[in-house]
Amino acid sequence: MASTRMRTIKALVLASGAVSAATIAFSLPEAAADHVELDRVRKNIADPKAVVPSREFQKSLMMGSSLTNPLDVLVIGGGATGCGVALDAVARGLRVGLVEKDDFSSGTSSRSTKLIHGGVRYLEKAVFNLDYGQLKLVFHALKERKQVIENAPHLCRALPCMTPCFNWVEVVYYWAGLKLYDLIAGRRMLHMSRYYSADESIELFPTLARNGGNKSLKGTVVYYDGQMNDSRLNIGLACTASIAGAAMMNHAEVVSFIKEEGTGRIIGAKIHDNLSGMDFKAYAKIIVNAAGPFCDSLRKMADKKTISMICPSSGVHIVLPDYYSPEGMGLIVPKTKDGRVVFMLPWLGRTVAGTTDSNTKITMLPEPTEDEIQFILDAICDYLSIKVRRSDVLSAWSGIRPLAVDPSAQNTESISRDHIVLEDCPGLITITGGKWTTYRSMAEDVVDVAIKSAKLNPSNGCITDHLGIVGSYGWEPSSFAGLSQHYTRMKKSYNGKVVPGVMDTIVSKHLVHAYGTLAQRVAVIAQNENLGKRLAHGYPILEAEVAYCARHEYCESAVDFIARRSRLAFLDTDAASRALPRVIQILSDEHKWGKSRQKKELQEAKVFLETFRSSKNAQFFDGKHTGL
């Protein structure tokens, strides 16, 4: 029966004249191999007993590579793209290693607008400038948007965004534009956009202004994009790649490349373990440079004469209290003085607003300026009925976008918002540009180039378009209810007594959305190890999460936890500062730190938090905040 169906499929396709018989003979077995491998990898990731190998084990795998037995691919950079490359490559049956000099998602990938989007602004440029390149970007991103949400449903969701209209021309303009956005998305559309009257809009978004710039609100057009917890998604990619067989190592920095004598081809790298201080070598058939804003420094390490390709841009965001926006609705400010779109979105119980677009220097710890913070506050104030105050800023951060210029291009008039893949030094492939939404397809492009360049032999094709990340398999929106019913938060009180606490709905929802089906493991730690207390007042983050992340998510420092495993630093710098001593105490128990390491962790975390310009640690002018 199966063979008859296969012959029928071949006959139909051949009759259409679309492809040759040779192509069919090749593609059908390959597709079957892809399906078998997808099932195998899915089974490993979905295994409830699966755990990530230890960091030391991962290190030993990379150290075990040699000239005669190299890795297939060594990835440098643990952001969304780098971890996406590692997952794609290992899912194709390749031997993969990845090193990140700081932590997974420590750079741009944790400092995004938290949107998984097609790019409404790019669509507008495509239409008015008749720019097919911009239109392709939108098509591509909308295709990937739906896939990202489906592959990580616990960390991503569809979010309605409201566009205020203060005259009827704007109503028609935005309605038509967003209907076109829906049309381009096609079957991958999240939900249909629609118009709401002024009264309906105020009901949906109570703090929306009825009047703006001496004009009355005529209504709003609401459309849908995706929203994510960016660094948790990045950590999920890293852990998924690790479970699938990739050697993933954070806090490990490439200090030099190893070149083949005679040809000059890069065949490996010398790596410094920033935690142990140890140096070791790793060999690979091909190396992928996915270092984001820092990719030029690696390219120049390989060849001092190489031409820079990064034009860094600063994207600043601020976090405001939850009353600025309702829980289930975002707001888009379509017109700002620098031409950017500014969003105001509900996120993890608070409101995130941004972003800016300005030239910046490349640094490990970028900081927002007061002017940039004030720009965002000014952009949203005309659209709200409440006073927008600088003192309400709970946290403010800056991220560096690695906008790319193709070094082989004739001019730099049009900086690419798309990604660029090139191998301008033999053995080193660079991927840069692009955006979070398209990380998966960017990774696919890089691995395709790597396979061709190094003549690798994958066991199958790319399967990540339908590969969920760890914690996604078996997850349901109602999973939090089971957590509330079956687990108790045991916690130590201030006098040292252990007292039970309810695994309330707020905590349960937080855990299942942060960890997916693995939330049960966190709940077990909270119940059995008396780590059920909240780390900071007003936030559902538990002490148990620190222990869990140290054991199962390569959390190696206090900053790793407050910034990337939890999002406390991004949500409220003051709350993160208050939680630090307890976070360090638990990590110290897990990693066996001495007093000197604990002191170092506290100092480094305080320096890190100082770069988040909340109202508590803002830069002052004449001793006063501006905009109070």
Side-chain angles (χ1 to χ4, degrees), residues 488-501 525-533 543 582:
T488 303
R489 294 191 294 122
M490 303 301 292
K491 51 192 180 180
K492 287 184 180 179
S493 62
Y494 290 107
N495 60 11
K497 292 181 64 177
V498 176
V499 294
I525 295 173
Q527 179 174 277
N528 296 348
E529 300 182 31
N530 306 329
L531 291 174
K533 193 174 180 179
E543 293 176 336
R582 183 58 177 146

Side-chain angles (χ1 to χ4, degrees), residues 275-539:
L275 297 182
S276 70
M278 174 186 174
D279 289 342
F280 63 93
K281 294 179 180 179
Y283 293 87
K285 296 174 184 176
I286 195 76
I287 295 178
V288 173
N289 172 10
F294 301 94
C295 74
D296 276 343
S297 63
L298 287 171
R299 293 172 64 238
K300 290 177 181 179
M301 184 187 294
D303 181 0
K304 294 179 181 178
K305 297 179 181 178
T306 195
I307 301 171
S308 296
M309 61 186 297
I310 295 297
C311 290
S313 170
S314 170
V316 171
H317 297 81
I318 64 175
V319 169
L320 300 163
D322 56 352
Y323 55 73
Y324 272 82
S325 64
E327 183 179 351
M329 181 69 71
L331 180 74
I332 176 173
V333 176
K335 294 178 181 177
T336 62
K337 60 188 178 184
D338 76 342
R340 284 194 67 79
V341 167
V342 167
F343 292 92
M344 195 173 77
L345 311 168
W347 184 64
L348 301 182
R350 296 293 179 261
T351 299
V352 62
T355 178
T356 61
D357 187 10
S358 54
N359 294 330
T360 188
K361 295 186 297 184
I362 297 176
T363 175
M364 285 296 295
L365 291 176
E367 300 181 35
T369 65
E370 283 297 319
D371 287 343
E372 289 172 315
I373 293 170
Q374 197 60 50
F375 168 86
I376 298 171
L377 294 172
D378 290 343
I380 64 176
C381 69
D382 288 340
Y383 293 84
L384 299 177
S385 60
I386 59 175
K387 187 175 183 180
V388 178
R389 307 179 302 179
R390 175 64 177 87
S391 56
D392 285 337
V393 177
L394 302 171
S395 183
W397 72 87
S398 175
I400 302 175
R401 299 185 194 90
L403 302 182
V405 177
D406 190 337
S408 63
Q410 296 298 313
N411 61 65
T412 59
E413 290 179 3
S414 181
I415 297 173
S416 176
R417 293 281 175 170
D418 200 356
H419 62 277
I420 292 174
V421 180
L422 78 161
E423 185 178 2
D424 53 354
C425 184
L428 180 68
I429 297 173
T430 295
I431 168 71
T432 192
K435 58 183 180 178
W436 236 117
T437 306
T438 57
Y439 84 88
R440 192 211 62 80
S441 62
M442 290 166 63
E444 181 179 353
D445 288 348
V446 178
V447 177
D448 286 345
V449 172
I451 289 170
K452 184 177 180 181
S453 173
K455 297 180 174 59
L456 304 178
N457 294 303
S459 59
N460 51 274
C462 177
I463 59 174
T464 55
D465 51 346
H466 296 292
L467 183 64
I469 73 166
V470 65
S472 66
Y473 291 102
W475 184 85
E476 296 290 343
S478 61
S479 297
F480 71 92
L483 215 62
S484 294
Q485 288 180 336
H486 296 108
Y487 295 95
T488 303
R489 294 191 294 122
M490 303 301 292
K491 51 192 180 180
K492 287 184 180 179
S493 62
Y494 290 107
N495 60 11
K497 292 181 64 177
V498 176
V499 294
V502 177
M503 189 70 75
D504 56 272
T505 301
I506 294 175
V507 169
S508 297
K509 283 185 175 180
H510 156 68
L511 292 178
V512 299
H513 281 287
Y515 303 93
T517 55
L518 302 182
Q520 292 183 10
R521 297 185 184 181
V522 183
V524 168
I525 295 173
Q527 179 174 277
N528 296 348
E529 300 182 31
N530 306 329
L531 291 174
K533 193 174 180 179
R534 295 190 186 202
L535 282 168
H537 179 71
Y539 295 90

Side-chain angles (χ1 to χ4, degrees), residues 67-375:
L67 276 171
T68 56
N69 185 32
L71 299 168
D72 288 315
V73 182
L74 175 64
V75 184
I76 305 173
T81 305
C83 289
V85 171
L87 178 56
D88 187 314
V90 75
R92 299 196 203 197
L94 299 174
R95 291 182 62 209
V96 183
L98 179 146
V99 291
E100 160 59 47
K101 68 177 177 181
D102 193 344
D103 182 29
F104 304 122
S105 195
S106 58
T108 308
S109 296
S110 63
R111 297 167 180 260
S112 73
T113 310
K114 324 304 178 193
L115 282 177
I116 313 165
H117 63 108
V120 172
R121 188 166 59 94
Y122 304 150
L123 178 59
E124 186 178 37
K125 287 184 178 180
V127 172
F128 282 96
N129 299 337
L130 299 177
D131 188 336
Y132 180 62
Q134 295 279 358
L135 188 61
K136 281 201 307 182
L137 279 176
V138 179
F139 271 105
H140 182 205
L142 286 173
K143 174 181 177 293
E144 290 296 319
R145 179 186 68 176
K146 185 70 180 255
Q147 210 59 62
V148 174
I149 295 173
E150 290 179 353
N151 288 346
H154 56 300
L155 293 167
C156 308
R157 63 168 180 162
L159 178 71
C161 295
M162 181 176 282
T163 307
C165 305
F166 289 94
N167 60 59
W168 292 111
V169 173
E170 287 183 345
V171 171
V172 174
Y173 178 79
Y174 292 125
W175 181 88
L178 293 169
K179 285 298 178 185
L180 178 59
Y181 196 60
D182 291 344
L183 182 65
I184 291 173
R187 63 185 179 84
R188 293 178 179 271
M189 178 176 60
L190 301 178
H191 297 284
M192 185 78 74
S193 62
R194 61 160 292 183
Y195 164 78
Y196 288 92
S197 69
D199 287 341
E200 290 173 325
S201 300
I202 297 297
E203 186 176 345
L204 290 169
F205 203 112
T207 55
L208 182 65
R210 282 189 178 272
N211 296 285
N214 299 318
K215 295 179 181 179
S216 60
L217 182 71
K218 298 299 185 289
T220 61
V221 181
V222 174
Y223 75 100
Y224 285 78
D225 257 329
Q227 189 181 48
M228 63 178 165
N229 187 337
D230 52 7
S231 74
R232 291 260 359 131
L233 180 53
N234 200 153
I235 300 299
L237 289 171
C239 292
T240 305
S242 180
I243 290 172
M248 310 291 288
M249 192 174 175
N250 56 354
H251 300 284
E253 181 176 2
V254 170
V255 293
S256 63
F257 288 118
I258 303 169
K259 295 186 177 182
E260 187 176 50
E261 290 186 20
T263 66
R265 181 182 177 86
I266 294 175
I267 56 173
K270 183 179 179 181
I271 299 166
H272 180 74
D273 183 345
N274 290 327
L275 297 182
S276 70
M278 174 186 174
D279 289 342
F280 63 93
K281 294 179 180 179
Y283 293 87
K285 296 174 184 176
I286 195 76
I287 295 178
V288 173
N289 172 10
F294 301 94
C295 74
D296 276 343
S297 63
L298 287 171
R299 293 172 64 238
K300 290 177 181 179
M301 184 187 294
D303 181 0
K304 294 179 181 178
K305 297 179 181 178
T306 195
I307 301 171
S308 296
M309 61 186 297
I310 295 297
C311 290
S313 170
S314 170
V316 171
H317 297 81
I318 64 175
V319 169
L320 300 163
D322 56 352
Y323 55 73
Y324 272 82
S325 64
E327 183 179 351
M329 181 69 71
L331 180 74
I332 176 173
V333 176
K335 294 178 181 177
T336 62
K337 60 188 178 184
D338 76 342
R340 284 194 67 79
V341 167
V342 167
F343 292 92
M344 195 173 77
L345 311 168
W347 184 64
L348 301 182
R350 296 293 179 261
T351 299
V352 62
T355 178
T356 61
D357 187 10
S358 54
N359 294 330
T360 188
K361 295 186 297 184
I362 297 176
T363 175
M364 285 296 295
L365 291 176
E367 300 181 35
T369 65
E370 283 297 319
D371 287 343
E372 289 172 315
I373 293 170
Q374 197 60 50
F375 168 86

Side-chain angles (χ1 to χ4, degrees), residues 533-552:
K533 193 174 180 179
R534 295 190 186 202
L535 282 168
H537 179 71
Y539 295 90
I541 303 164
L542 303 184
E543 293 176 336
E545 294 179 59
V546 186
Y548 173 83
C549 292
R551 298 171 194 175
H552 303 294

